[in-house]
Amino acid sequence: MNQSLAASQADTLLTALLRHHQVDAASSLSHCAALLSEAESFRHAAKAAHMTPELAPYSHLGMQLATLHQGNLLSAELYPELKQAESDTLNWLKQCFGLRYAHFSHGGSDNNLQALWQARDHTASGKKIVYASEARHYSVDKACRMLGLDLQLIATDAEDRITVSALEKACKKAPPLAIVLTAGTSATGSLDPLQDTSEIAEQYQAWLHIDAAWGGSLLMLPEHRDSLRRLSKVDSLGFDPHKSLFQPRPCSVYLSQLAPEYSSQTDYLAKAPSGRVTGSYGAELFLPLWLNLRILGENWFFQQTRARLGQARHFSELLQEQGLNTWNGGSGIICFEANGEGFDSLVTEGILSCAKVRQRRVYRAVFAGYRTQADELFRALPLSL
Ligand SMILES: Cc1ncc(COP(=O)(O)O)c(C=O)c1O
């Protein structure tokens, strides 16, 4: 009930269905079988190339519920039960991150656009400069281009984090509209120094957005929450449960202190909801997360996240014992330098990925799934021990 179909069961079901509908069985079946075996090949403790986690135990069932429901929450009055499930899940996330407003969205790219759009329209000063580090996600660049904003990049330190002194200097020279910080950079999973930079944002009255698409699952842990609450200023934050909280895409959340301009009513054609990037949406964005929360409770998520981070730490220690130059940003991604064709083959197999840290090419292991095992991944490396 709480698991996805095993590939063999899915194969049997598809065979029966295709025969029943008299579809060209031979070619359709071989295509379906190829899809299933492609999916199966990634359900493995040593696959750590990307931010594509194995799903939480009740996510499949939650997705099924969502497709059965199919309501559009732009007409929220029609679906009080679904609205309640949405509010319950958003309230939990607001409490975890200490922000007053939240809505679900389709991903981290949308959240970065949403934040900068809100910042631009909220600020009367006409300022156009946005500062972000050289390690920001490229969606920040896209958002600035769309909004006519001027993105200026701040150098990173050896750990892939924004250099606070360089940010301060830039703000002094040209005060920005917004500062975008990254909590969990795409390459090394590093967190920009939030405390120092939020003080700078406060001093220069800049909108402070935290792109926590990947690192949000770390920030929401009870042992880390206070560090967010102690910040002088956070105007908005984006987090992707579909990257690091074991959810199917799309499942993402945008949180802020102020609500973006928004109105929602059944007759949304007459009065369009205008302040959100996200258009039509419904249960698919949150019901899998909601169902897991109802059945397993928040502690299940926290424990799995801690275990995932522990596996990443262990992997980094194993690499360091081999004398490899290693980066551990602290949010579950480990990068390292290594030579040899064997490593490149692991990239083509989807076991590792490649990234760049300050112009250096590194291999990258992403501990996104709660079953990804450091020891097993380490054994797959072509190291002569
Ligand atoms: C730090 C960061 N921000 C934003 C994004 C974009 O997220 P999405 O793919 O959900 O749009 C990513 C994607 O990897 C990311 O790593």
Side-chain angles (χ1 to χ4, degrees):
M1 190 68 168
N2 61 347
Q3 298 292 330
S4 61
L5 284 179
S8 57
Q9 289 170 299
D11 204 23
T12 312
L13 189 60
L14 283 164
T15 309
L17 278 171
L18 290 167
R19 290 225 170 94
H20 176 75
H21 290 284
Q22 296 174 339
V23 174
D24 169 14
S27 78
S28 305
L29 272 176
S30 73
H31 196 187
C32 291
L35 282 170
L36 286 169
S37 82
E38 181 175 276
E40 224 22 44
S41 73
F42 284 90
R43 290 208 185 98
H44 194 277
K47 291 275 169 127
H50 298 292
M51 297 169 174
T52 43
E54 185 177 353
L55 299 186
Y58 297 98
S59 292
H60 301 97
L61 194 55
M63 213 32 154
Q64 197 68 38
L65 253 182
T67 52
L68 287 169
H69 190 287
Q70 198 52 2
N72 183 348
L73 280 177
L74 288 187
S75 305
E77 295 87 336
L78 299 179
Y79 309 109
E81 292 299 330
L82 187 62
K83 187 72 197 159
Q84 187 62 50
E86 181 192 38
S87 304
D88 291 347
T89 320
L90 287 174
N91 286 340
W92 175 66
L93 289 160
K94 285 193 264 187
Q95 188 208 330
C96 290
F97 289 101
L99 287 159
R100 284 198 284 266
Y101 167 84
H103 70 239
F104 285 107
S105 71
H106 289 90
S109 306
D110 288 9
N111 293 337
N112 288 336
L113 177 61
Q114 178 79 55
L116 291 170
W117 183 22
Q118 200 182 350
R120 190 193 69 177
D121 288 3
H122 175 72
T123 316
S125 67
K127 285 190 259 181
K128 288 210 152 118
I129 292 177
V130 174
Y131 293 129
S133 92
E134 283 170 354
R136 87 280 163 220
H137 187 259
Y138 67 86
S139 56
V140 177
D141 306 40
K142 284 198 294 183
C144 287
R145 243 181 292 141
M146 281 189 252
L147 295 166
L149 300 176
D150 173 17
L151 175 63
Q152 297 191 13
L153 299 182
I154 306 292
T156 46
D157 63 15
E159 303 299 323
D160 212 27
R161 300 169 305 197
I162 198 165
T163 313
V164 177
S165 56
L167 176 67
E168 200 161 18
K169 204 165 149 200
C171 288
K172 208 178 268 176
K173 196 165 156 218
L177 163 73
I179 297 172
V180 177
L181 299 177
T182 313
T185 57
S186 313
T188 59
S190 297
L191 280 79
D192 284 336
L194 302 181
Q195 184 66 50
D196 291 347
T197 43
S198 74
E199 282 166 21
I200 296 173
E202 170 86 18
Q203 188 185 344
Y204 290 94
Q205 294 175 2
W207 184 279
L208 186 79
H209 174 62
I210 302 180
D211 176 358
W214 166 254
S217 51
L218 170 72
L219 296 180
M220 76 197 295
L221 289 176
E223 57 270 36
H224 290 296
R225 281 184 205 170
D226 276 355
S227 60
L228 261 188
R229 286 186 170 78
R230 276 199 301 270
L231 297 183
S232 327
K233 184 183 193 0
V234 178
D235 293 294
S236 55
L237 181 148
F239 167 48
D240 279 0
H242 67 216
K243 288 187 178 25
S244 59
L245 215 57
F246 325 115
Q247 296 309 305
R249 275 185 310 274
C251 176
S252 180
V253 62
Y254 176 78
L255 299 110
S256 53
Q257 291 294 5
L258 298 171
E261 187 198 328
Y262 182 66
S263 74
S264 156
Q265 56 182 52
T266 307
D267 186 11
Y268 63 84
L269 290 180
K271 190 170 186 313
S274 56
R276 278 194 205 182
V277 170
T278 305
S280 312
Y281 75 101
E284 71 286 351
L285 292 189
F286 58 86
L287 225 44
L289 179 58
W290 173 83
L291 190 63
N292 282 290
L293 274 172
R294 294 288 292 215
I295 297 174
L296 301 170
E298 61 174 6
N299 278 329
W300 182 86
F301 286 95
F302 301 149
Q303 279 159 9
Q304 303 306 326
T305 299
R306 291 184 195 111
R308 199 167 63 65
L309 299 174
Q311 287 297 323
R313 250 190 328 270
H314 180 44
F315 185 64
S316 134
E317 286 158 5
L318 291 169
L319 295 173
Q320 279 165 0
E321 280 167 20
Q322 298 304 309
L324 297 178
N325 199 11
T326 306
W327 287 260
N328 177 3
S331 61
I333 300 179
I334 308 299
C335 290
F336 60 97
E337 285 182 307
N339 295 315
E341 271 179 26
F343 284 97
D344 287 334
S345 317
L346 296 185
V347 174
T348 47
E349 285 171 51
I351 290 176
L352 298 173
S353 45
C354 280
K356 278 221 165 123
V357 183
R358 305 180 94 212
Q359 307 310 319
R360 288 154 82 162
R361 185 174 184 271
V362 294
Y363 294 99
R364 170 177 173 262
V366 183
F367 288 79
Y370 53 93
R371 286 191 228 273
T372 310
Q373 287 296 318
D375 288 326
E376 202 155 330
L377 184 58
F378 184 70
R379 276 196 293 276
L381 303 183
L383 293 166
S384 42
L385 304 177

